[in-house]
Amino acid sequence: MTQSILTRQAAPADRLPDSQPLYRQLADQYRRAIGSGVLRPGDRMPSMRAFMQRHGVSLATATESYRVLERDALIDARPRAGYFVRVPPTAALPAASEPDLATLPGAAQFVGIHSVISSIVSTFQRYPDALNLGGATASPDLYPTDALQKAALRALRKRPTLLTAAGHDQGDPALRAIIARRALDAGIQIGADDIIMTHGGIEAVNLALRAVTQPGDTVAVESPCFFGLLQALESLGLRALEIPASPTTGLAIEALAFALHTHPDIKAVVVVPNLQNPLGSVMPDTHKARLVELCAQAGIPLIEDDPYRELADAAQPPRSLKAWDTDGTVIHCTSFNKVLAPGMRVGWINGGRWHPRIGMLKFAQSRHNEQLSQVVLAEFLETNAYERHLRRLRDRLRLQRERMAAAIATSFPDGTRFTPPRGGMFFWIELPRDMSSTVFFKAVLDEGIRVMPGTMFSNGGRFDHFIRLSSPSTDLDLADEAVRRLGRLAARMAAHPD
Ligand SMILES: Cc1ncc(COP(=O)(O)O)c(C=O)c1O
């Protein structure tokens, strides 16, 4: 019976054998469908029009049925998106532990992460068909493939020498002008000339580090920290000083203040303020203001790595650290790879006080970015297609997160903790204390699933009982089932740690 309401086109109302009012009978059918799992947390409910057609009822009856389901906390309305089966509160699992500020930071270390990462990557390569729940971009079909393809063809038609004429050293001027206008949304006031286009965010961060440090210097980073940054530090011969970060508010500002006091050799601070990788945390505005002030007072460059800001849940995306910068202390690095087109690898940097030096380093290192991607991006950003795409992507990622959170909460063993992220695609999951993610990630690869072990996110092997999961799959049922398989395996391993 519950199955039938999801599939049949029209069920004339007068055939329903029940003495209750019709709206209540229909609400009860959907209640049963939700209760039995036919409709699952995060599933989209039929639109009002579809509901009316499917059940042969009036708008008043359909509205009343939805009102009953909403009142009983079974479905939620989302602005401009419709009704969805409510995701049960994920507080079923306790929040991830807050960092212990008493024990950190220790001594700055030369980074030795390449060998750890190489070994993990070569293990992954042996399982090319594994379902990837470890990536840092969304699935390609969540990006506007057709629109970008058409923009590329238009760009080539309009500018026949696009592939053969050299471009501007700093990057396409029209694109930089559009980016400067859009940066106002992040609270950043800069002109087109204050922007240098880069090969993704990672080139921007590398350039920033090279501009303000010398080999052997110490750089303060968040702990846990995006492993690509640790690799960059290692390749530049820099030491990392890991400063604890909270799963809710990001970098612990007071721990950094303490470190600046006790480690006068810190030459730069690198922070991901919005949707930190892997934590998913967003720094509150008060922390952002304090952090910028702290670095400005100490005369230390603050490198802001901000590729995920536009994936945050808030109706108004959070602001960047750069919004609080009054004297060029903040070097802002970002990219379109996570939000729009991972294949185009377009990023940009504003170098604050070090902008001219960064321009010189970029010229010396790789000359200007290739032009086609930039012109395509400029075309796309000029229209409101980008805003529409972002809204869809955020909605879709939220649905994936809700489904995933529900699957984690119901299938992982006692002792598992996580703090639901504030947007984006990462879940930083704290496994029961005596579980090793190094053992776990290999075991789940045998089951055909790829996850990121926590050891990749610190130089000191601190996070061996954490994993980073991401939800890039468009097949939500497949992702759900995979998460449940992970949970069952974790439960078996937690029960038999040896
Ligand atoms: C925090 C952070 N910074 C930078 C990057 C690299 O960005 P891009 O792919 O634009 O080079 C990543 C990618 O995972 C990231 O998570």
Side-chain angles (χ1 to χ4, degrees):
M1 168 114 169
T2 48
Q3 184 68 49
S4 68
I5 62 170
L6 305 174
T7 50
R8 74 179 170 215
Q9 283 307 302
D14 54 8
R15 279 194 228 143
L16 288 167
D18 201 317
S19 58
Q20 293 201 75
L22 184 54
Y23 71 85
R24 196 169 276 286
Q25 293 178 44
L26 288 168
D28 281 349
Q29 287 188 15
Y30 277 82
R31 184 194 311 282
R32 284 194 294 276
I34 293 168
S36 66
V38 170
L39 283 171
R40 285 189 290 183
D43 276 351
R44 186 188 289 277
M45 293 288 287
S47 67
M48 281 291 166
R49 183 187 294 271
F51 188 95
M52 287 159 61
Q53 279 172 359
R54 189 176 289 178
H55 301 295
V57 296
S58 67
L59 178 61
T61 302
T63 311
E64 202 50 22
S65 299
Y66 276 37
R67 197 188 59 74
V68 169
L69 292 168
E70 206 177 359
R71 186 203 60 203
D72 293 350
L74 292 166
I75 63 172
D76 284 325
R78 292 186 195 157
R80 292 192 304 273
Y83 284 89
F84 291 80
V85 177
R86 187 158 185 263
V87 176
T90 50
L93 286 184
S97 315
E98 288 294 324
D100 177 3
L101 300 184
T103 56
L104 289 164
Q109 292 176 354
F110 278 112
V111 179
I113 200 79
H114 275 319
S115 57
V116 175
I117 293 175
S118 304
S119 139
I120 292 169
V121 170
S122 68
T123 311
F124 284 155
Q125 282 165 352
R126 293 205 297 278
Y127 298 81
D129 299 327
L131 177 68
N132 190 359
L133 294 184
T137 55
S139 160
D141 41 332
L142 298 190
Y143 297 114
T145 310
D146 286 348
L148 290 173
Q149 225 168 55
K150 286 189 185 123
L153 293 174
R154 267 198 312 274
L156 284 168
R157 262 200 309 274
K158 268 199 251 166
R159 292 178 52 176
T161 60
L162 203 50
L163 299 178
T164 44
H168 192 291
D169 282 345
Q170 283 187 231
D172 184 65
L175 174 61
R176 286 186 286 115
I178 296 168
I179 289 176
R181 274 202 306 279
R182 294 191 57 86
L184 290 170
D185 290 347
I188 302 176
Q189 293 186 28
I190 47 174
D193 287 346
D194 304 319
I195 291 170
I196 299 166
M197 302 310 301
T198 59
H199 295 284
I202 199 70
E203 188 187 35
V205 172
N206 271 278
L207 287 168
L209 286 167
R210 288 181 58 210
V212 300
T213 62
Q214 299 289 330
D217 283 350
T218 295
V219 176
V221 302
E222 297 150 304
S223 185
C225 158
F226 160 53
F227 58 84
L229 173 60
L230 294 174
Q231 287 182 297
L233 294 177
E234 181 168 349
S235 61
L236 295 171
L238 297 166
R239 292 173 204 262
L241 182 66
E242 295 191 27
I243 310 288
S246 148
T248 47
T249 56
L251 183 79
I253 309 289
E254 292 320 312
L256 176 69
F258 179 70
L260 292 178
H261 190 63
T262 52
H263 292 73
D265 55 338
I266 293 176
K267 290 295 189 303
V269 177
V270 186
V271 174
V272 182
N274 299 312
L275 298 177
Q276 203 262 9
N277 176 4
L279 291 170
S281 54
V282 175
M283 285 179 92
D285 280 358
T286 48
H287 290 213
K288 287 176 176 160
R290 170 93 181 99
L291 174 60
V292 175
E293 185 190 24
L294 193 63
C295 290
Q297 274 169 1
I300 293 177
L302 173 55
I303 300 172
E304 166 172 53
D305 183 13
D306 200 17
Y308 298 105
R309 188 187 69 85
E310 287 178 300
L311 298 183
D313 261 348
Q316 274 297 314
R319 281 181 290 171
S320 300
L321 290 172
K322 186 78 188 164
W324 282 268
D325 187 19
T326 54
D327 64 358
T329 293
V330 179
I331 302 178
H332 179 80
C333 306
T334 186
S335 144
F336 290 93
N337 288 333
K338 311 299 179 182
V339 291
L340 181 65
M344 287 174 29
R345 296 224 41 83
V346 180
W348 62 271
I349 185 168
N350 166 269
R353 282 213 290 284
W354 298 270
H355 199 67
R357 177 163 168 73
I358 288 172
M360 215 47 236
L361 287 170
K362 166 70 175 157
F363 182 76
Q365 177 170 296
S366 57
R367 300 299 197 266
H368 67 75
N369 272 32
E370 60 98 6
Q371 295 213 81
L372 178 59
S373 293
Q374 298 183 65
V375 174
V376 170
L377 196 54
E379 279 238 0
F380 192 78
L381 294 181
E382 273 291 50
T383 67
N384 54 12
Y386 184 54
E387 297 306 336
R388 275 204 310 275
H389 155 69
L390 278 181
R391 270 200 301 275
R392 263 201 308 267
L393 179 60
R394 279 195 289 255
D395 273 354
R396 180 63 192 209
L397 289 176
R398 179 166 67 171
L399 174 59
Q400 290 183 188
R401 285 197 310 277
E402 288 174 350
R403 290 272 295 254
M404 210 151 168
I408 294 166
T410 52
S411 60
F412 272 67
D414 285 351
T416 305
R417 308 165 69 115
F418 81 93
T419 302
R422 305 270 309 276
M425 57 193 96
F426 298 133
F427 279 85
W428 182 238
I429 300 175
E430 188 175 349
L431 299 168
R433 272 274 155 191
D434 48 4
M435 271 188 72
S436 159
S437 68
T438 313
V439 178
F440 184 68
F441 103 89
K442 287 182 186 146
V444 301
L445 267 178
D446 282 334
E447 299 255 325
I449 304 168
R450 178 192 288 197
V451 305
M452 290 296 187
T455 40
M456 295 178 86
F457 299 90
S458 163
N459 196 35
R462 259 184 213 104
F463 297 102
D464 191 31
H465 66 295
F466 286 78
I467 52 169
R468 190 192 76 186
L469 283 190
S470 45
S471 53
S473 168
T474 41
D475 186 334
L476 298 187
D477 290 337
L478 200 68
D480 252 17
E481 179 43 35
V483 172
R484 287 180 207 286
R485 277 194 0 245
L486 292 179
R488 285 194 293 271
L489 198 74
R492 277 209 301 279
M493 286 177 69
H496 307 285
D498 302 324

